[in-house]
Amino acid sequence: MYLARIQKHGISSSLLNRLPENLLLPMRRDGLDPVAKLSARMEQSPIYQVPLPFGMDAWVVTGYDEVKAVLGSTDGFSSDFTNLAGNAGVVAEHNPGGLGFADPPVHTHLRRILTPEFTMRRLRRLTPRIEALVEEQLDAMEAAGANGAPVDLVKDFALPIPSLTICELLGVPYEDRHDFQQLAMERFDLFSGATAPFGAMSESLSYFRDVVKKQRENPGDGLIGMIIRDHGDTVGDEELAGLADGVLTGGFETTASMLALGSLLLLQNEKAFARLRDDDEAAAPFVEEALRYLTVVQVAFPRFAREDIEIAGARIPKGDLVLCSLAGGNRDVSYTPDKGGFDPDRKASGHLAFGYGIHRCIGAELARMELRAAYPALVRRFPEMKLAVRPEDLDFRKLSIVYGVDSLPVHLR
């Protein structure tokens, strides 16, 4: 009943406050860990039902195997946005599109267009630029903290690196990067204002339509220009804008949150900090364990049951909404018997931080490249870095699809 008005008015905090708490549990945390209520729910069952006031029921899936079963089944579950909006008066032009909201064969078609741009061979061209961006930000941080003043790792480190990397990847003008950052952040914070999050989605799609229109006349060297050159008019403007918006969705705020929270993790774990500082081989395993432990994308894109289906003994009726808790799955005792605490010695293979199945994040390798370059460079440049505030005084996001911290002040020396 509210979705038809979302494009103009956003999702208000008063609406969210009326949603069942059990639905919001997967998006709440206590510091870096899931809230105790979610952990207690997980011990009772890997799936639970939440009645909604919108004429459908929701199911929250938290078990590792059960999350994989839902995300891996395209026959049993649909990702199409029209399942959510079709009966609420949201017309087709407001469909956000992109990979995350598409089913095969549309999803297959879109992924086939993007996949060549995300092969390691193509991505390697960005390696020198990513390393240069990291060094540029560290130089700026060193200058800002030269007089002993605290430096904000979110503003000065975590946000600029993925923002400029995505600008480089897509071929977005650098002068647009501030607006680019704001749009990306509002996509995921459910309390970020009148335009969040679907209004911000509409704004970013509008922005990318303009970029695509300009590059039709003069294709750039980034992903948008490459697709135009390789596919011409077979990829429409709306389709290409949706793809670009999907890259923004998956590649900016998620990596920024990982950079910030991963830095906090290092500051709180001397063993991991020292190992990353001293051992060139330590970056890759640290990144994988940090991805699993932090799981900044807390829930996957919503799924909808195509038919009556059974998961872990629960019968999900056709049409019901299913939310998969990626953070819950990565802490499930069937996957991590120690309940998923951070372990710098863990070999975290098979985690769900990038999702699972056909919708697994296409930019996973790009994110890994950025994280593997940034973390070691940070601790080696500033081996004496310490938090400038008490950990309990940090301002974490209260309710967000992508978990994060608003600022992370540190003393560099």
Side-chain angles (χ1 to χ4, degrees), residues 231-284:
H231 297 275
D233 293 335
T234 61
V235 179
D237 287 5
E238 195 70 24
E239 191 173 54
L240 185 48
L243 287 173
D245 183 69
V247 172
L248 163 63
T249 300
F252 169 52
E253 177 67 0
T254 49
T255 305
S257 291
M258 269 302 302
L259 284 170
L261 294 180
S263 298
L264 174 60
L265 191 59
L266 286 166
L267 290 167
Q268 295 180 327
N269 192 290
E270 293 182 6
K271 181 178 181 179
F273 191 107
R275 184 178 292 175
L276 202 59
R277 181 193 63 210
D278 301 333
D279 183 359
D280 290 340
E281 303 300 317

Side-chain angles (χ1 to χ4, degrees), residues 35-181:
V35 293
K37 285 184 178 180
L38 180 64
S39 300
R41 273 281 186 181
M42 291 172 61
E43 291 177 3
Q44 295 173 20
S45 172
I47 181 172
Y48 63 86
Q49 185 179 13
V50 183
L52 293 179
F54 310 129
M56 67 171 71
D57 283 343
W59 298 80
V60 178
V61 182
T62 60
Y64 179 79
D65 291 332
E66 291 75 18
V67 167
K68 290 178 69 175
V70 173
L71 300 185
S73 174
T74 56
D75 292 335
F77 297 93
S78 169
S79 300
D80 194 330
F81 179 81
T82 56
N83 287 287
L84 188 63
N87 294 323
V90 179
V91 296
E93 67 184 78
H94 290 150
N95 188 327
L99 290 169
F101 289 112
D103 290 332
V106 174
H107 175 273
T108 309
H109 165 67
L110 296 176
R111 189 132 184 153
R112 189 176 293 128
I113 294 169
L114 278 180
T115 296
E117 311 304 331
F118 285 91
T119 62
M120 284 306 299
R121 182 178 65 83
R122 291 277 184 102
L123 290 176
R124 283 192 191 100
R125 78 186 190 280
L126 294 175
T127 300
R129 185 58 184 145
I130 292 172
E131 293 173 348
L133 287 171
V134 171
E135 292 302 318
E136 289 169 12
Q137 292 311 126
L138 296 179
D139 290 343
M141 288 168 56
E142 190 155 22
N147 62 355
V151 172
D152 184 359
L153 282 185
V154 173
K155 179 174 70 72
D156 298 322
F157 180 71
L159 287 175
I161 291 170
S163 172
L164 294 173
T165 298
I166 293 296
C167 284
E168 191 84 20
L169 176 70
L170 289 175
V172 169
Y174 285 98
E175 59 269 21
D176 292 352
R177 66 180 180 269
H178 176 73
D179 293 339
F180 198 67
Q181 287 178 354

Side-chain angles (χ1 to χ4, degrees), residues 134-413:
V134 171
E135 292 302 318
E136 289 169 12
Q137 292 311 126
L138 296 179
D139 290 343
M141 288 168 56
E142 190 155 22
N147 62 355
V151 172
D152 184 359
L153 282 185
V154 173
K155 179 174 70 72
D156 298 322
F157 180 71
L159 287 175
I161 291 170
S163 172
L164 294 173
T165 298
I166 293 296
C167 284
E168 191 84 20
L169 176 70
L170 289 175
V172 169
Y174 285 98
E175 59 269 21
D176 292 352
R177 66 180 180 269
H178 176 73
D179 293 339
F180 198 67
Q181 287 178 354
Q182 288 301 116
L183 281 173
M185 291 171 65
E186 290 174 359
R187 293 289 292 271
F188 301 104
D189 189 348
L190 298 185
F191 287 120
S192 60
T195 62
F198 284 89
M201 185 184 296
S202 181
E203 286 185 45
S204 60
L205 281 169
S206 178
Y207 169 76
F208 280 119
R209 289 185 191 105
D210 290 339
V211 173
V212 169
K213 187 175 181 180
K214 292 174 183 176
Q215 294 211 19
R216 285 287 182 194
E217 300 174 3
N218 185 23
D221 295 328
L223 183 145
I224 294 173
M226 288 181 183
I227 292 176
I228 289 172
R229 282 193 295 272
D230 292 347
H231 297 275
D233 293 335
T234 61
V235 179
D237 287 5
E238 195 70 24
E239 191 173 54
L240 185 48
L243 287 173
D245 183 69
V247 172
L248 163 63
T249 300
F252 169 52
E253 177 67 0
T254 49
T255 305
S257 291
M258 269 302 302
L259 284 170
L261 294 180
S263 298
L264 174 60
L265 191 59
L266 286 166
L267 290 167
Q268 295 180 327
N269 192 290
E270 293 182 6
K271 181 178 181 179
F273 191 107
R275 184 178 292 175
L276 202 59
R277 181 193 63 210
D278 301 333
D279 183 359
D280 290 340
E281 303 300 317
F286 170 76
V287 165
E288 293 310 306
E289 172 63 355
L291 283 164
R292 181 208 63 81
Y293 172 70
L294 296 169
T295 316
V296 297
V297 181
Q298 303 198 87
V299 295
F301 281 104
R303 302 300 199 270
F304 301 87
R306 293 182 183 273
E307 301 292 344
D308 292 357
I309 192 167
E310 186 172 305
I311 296 288
R315 179 183 171 276
I316 302 174
K318 178 181 178 179
D320 276 9
L321 180 149
V322 181
L323 286 181
C324 289
S325 172
L326 301 179
N330 277 338
R331 302 293 187 99
D332 185 7
V333 292
S334 71
Y335 172 56
T336 50
D338 58 356
K339 296 188 178 181
F342 176 70
D343 181 357
D345 296 319
R346 192 193 309 272
K347 299 186 185 302
S349 61
H351 62 72
L352 301 170
F354 292 117
Y356 183 77
I358 67 168
H359 287 284
R360 184 180 182 276
C361 177
I362 197 170
E365 291 310 314
L366 176 61
R368 286 187 168 110
M369 288 169 58
E370 295 176 75
L371 300 174
R372 290 172 183 172
Y375 290 138
L378 177 68
V379 300
R380 290 170 185 174
R381 177 74 73 95
F382 306 115
E384 300 174 351
M385 182 173 59
K386 300 290 182 184
L387 270 177
V389 298
R390 298 181 305 168
E392 56 266 31
D393 291 334
L394 292 171
D395 190 12
F396 294 98
R397 290 188 171 181
K398 301 296 187 295
L399 185 65
S400 182
I401 297 167
V402 177
Y403 192 58
V405 62
D406 291 333
S407 70
L408 189 61
V410 297
H411 291 297
L412 299 179
R413 310 212 184 280

